[in-house]
Amino acid sequence: MIYLDYQATTPLAPEAREEMLRWLDGPGGAGFGNPHSIHRMGRQAEAAVEIARERVAALFPSGGTVVFTGSATEAINLALRGSEAGRAGRPVAVSAIEHSAVLDTALDLPGDTTILPVDRDALVDPQVALPEGVGIVSVMQVNNEVGTIQPVADLYERVKARGALFMCDAVQAAGKIPIGEADLIAISAHKFHGPKGIGALWVRDGIELAPEITGGGQEGGLRSGTLSPALCAGMGMAAKVALERMDQDAVHVASLWDRALELFPDWQVNGSAAQRYRGNLNIRHKGLDVSRLISDVREVMFSAGSACASESNKPSRILSAIGLTQEQARGSIRLGFGRYTTLEELERAAELVNCAAAQQG
Ligand code: PLP
């Protein structure tokens, strides 16, 4: 099996797995303590959580706090629903290519939601018009379907000057490129070789949030519920390794990208080829039936648009937002590769995909 779906999830790093194991100990082990207990085992588990928090914090800009959550979706909900602006019903603005975790949550807030357009390159204009009285703006750093990198630094400065909050979904950026400045930033461990079931919200100092989940008051009262030391430790180690290897991983990904462009000469790249994370190759082929392609090429794990869009079998909302026709969107595939992908795997996958595509024509 060749795994080319790195935007859906990434393989657990061996270092992260190793770090998790001692916190999964059963009877007789010392690693299963509740990190909120005050006895020695509890304190040890708490120390592991705090080391992990520091490691995760190193991914973010300085001047903020990391709140562990169960997923990026939960972090995004806490940021948007928990913010003063979100609760007070002030206008909200989100880009047209946000993940549904952001879009659906924004649409559910009491304030009006404005959808900020993107161009054919899948980029938001840093000078895009913001609605009058806007309270919160959310634009992602790296798009999950096409990989384009948004001008979040410029947007943050403009939003700040308007007295509004800027939220950034950095799920596809974290651990791959430096995370940009924002007020609230959401990430997910399993997208950078950490475990599933844990995410984090970074909250800039001075920003007040109301909790979505109440109870025992963990995470500074922002997210009650017993933390999993194993998941925290795994996320922390994944963050540490990603930071240490960021340049090396980027060089590897760039070489795979260059080769991929040679391997798919009859396909067009969706979204800007220049302003993007290069571990995401979203390409289209005329007249292709992607569902058939995915079932024909059983050896390669890849996706039609996003994983969520492929389940619903609707043409991708993101590809439609960048102006592709239904036929073009339906003929698009996403190949996601990264740290553990080899050149041989990419070449074999291209051979299988191109061969199956040719049989359709
Ligand atoms: N935002 C983006 C850009 C994503 O790609 C994803 C997951 O695919 C999410 C948010 C949601 O992350 P999680 O599944 O950890 O809640």
Side-chain angles (χ1 to χ4, degrees):
M1 240 161 18
I2 301 175
Y3 186 76
L4 292 184
D5 204 8
Y6 268 56
Q7 281 69 41
T9 194
T10 55
L12 187 66
E15 298 91 334
R17 182 179 180 277
E18 187 62 34
E19 189 80 1
M20 291 172 73
L21 288 178
R22 75 162 285 214
W23 305 107
L24 294 169
D25 272 356
F32 64 89
N34 184 326
H36 314 295
S37 299
I38 58 168
H39 50 62
R40 194 150 67 96
M41 267 171 67
R43 293 263 193 247
Q44 285 171 351
E46 187 197 14
V49 167
E50 294 314 315
I51 290 170
R53 195 186 305 280
E54 272 174 37
R55 288 174 169 169
V56 173
L59 291 171
F60 293 101
S62 55
T65 305
V66 168
V67 178
F68 285 119
T69 60
S71 62
T73 302
E74 192 196 319
I76 290 163
N77 272 266
L78 173 59
L80 293 178
R81 295 181 196 275
S83 68
E84 172 67 36
R87 278 177 292 136
R90 287 181 61 191
V92 185
V94 303
S95 88
I97 54 170
E98 293 304 303
H99 189 274
S100 45
V102 170
L103 179 65
D104 291 2
T105 308
L107 289 171
D108 199 43
L109 293 175
D112 287 341
T113 301
T114 298
I115 307 295
L116 306 174
V118 292
D119 62 17
R120 206 164 163 97
D121 277 341
L123 295 170
V124 178
D125 178 353
Q127 296 309 319
V128 66
L130 298 172
E132 198 58 40
V134 68
I136 195 160
V137 177
S138 190
V139 176
M140 68 203 326
Q141 190 167 0
V142 174
N143 178 263
N144 49 305
E145 279 195 41
V146 291
T148 48
I149 301 177
Q150 305 305 318
V152 289
D154 292 347
L155 287 165
Y156 170 59
E157 288 305 325
R158 281 190 61 217
V159 170
K160 189 166 67 166
R162 295 276 292 262
L165 280 184
F166 184 68
M167 213 272 289
C168 183
D169 169 351
V171 167
Q172 298 287 345
K176 297 177 185 114
I177 60 172
I179 295 182
E181 295 280 348
D183 293 310
L184 298 157
I185 307 173
I187 65 170
S188 186
H190 73 102
K191 307 287 185 173
F192 56 92
H193 307 291
K196 291 170 190 58
I198 181 161
L201 180 68
W202 180 86
V203 184
R204 186 174 286 284
D205 293 342
I207 292 175
E208 296 286 331
L209 292 177
E212 283 299 299
I213 298 174
T214 50
Q218 290 90 347
E219 295 301 89
L222 279 181
R223 200 267 188 177
S224 288
T226 304
L227 285 172
S228 159
L231 292 179
C232 295
M235 184 178 195
M237 183 50 89
K240 180 173 183 290
V241 173
L243 276 176
E244 285 166 2
R245 295 183 51 127
M246 197 174 273
D247 292 345
Q248 188 187 340
D249 284 352
V251 169
H252 177 59
V253 162
S255 72
L256 292 173
W257 166 267
D258 290 343
R259 183 72 185 120
L261 292 184
E262 293 168 359
L263 292 168
F264 292 97
D266 303 331
W267 300 66
Q268 280 81 48
V269 175
N270 291 326
S272 166
Q275 203 169 316
R276 71 152 65 222
Y277 169 64
R278 288 187 281 182
N280 179 329
L281 181 69
N282 193 311
I283 45 178
R284 64 178 188 274
H285 196 291
K286 204 167 178 325
L288 196 69
D289 174 349
V290 167
S291 310
R292 199 179 128 197
L293 189 79
I294 290 177
S295 68
D296 285 351
V297 187
R298 297 191 41 184
E299 198 184 322
V300 186
M301 309 298 113
F302 65 106
S303 172
S306 75
C308 324
S310 33
E311 260 168 41
S312 65
N313 206 22
K314 283 199 226 122
S316 143
R317 167 172 65 78
I318 309 304
L319 297 181
S320 303
I322 67 173
L324 297 195
T325 62
Q326 290 223 349
E327 199 208 333
Q328 288 172 324
R330 283 218 165 89
S332 295
I333 60 170
R334 183 186 67 187
L335 303 174
F337 38 81
R339 185 184 299 164
Y340 304 109
T341 312
T342 64
L343 194 56
E344 292 69 35
E345 285 179 315
L346 188 66
E347 287 174 344
R348 171 81 182 136
E351 194 183 315
L352 293 169
V353 169
N354 279 324
C355 179
Q359 276 169 7
Q360 284 192 21

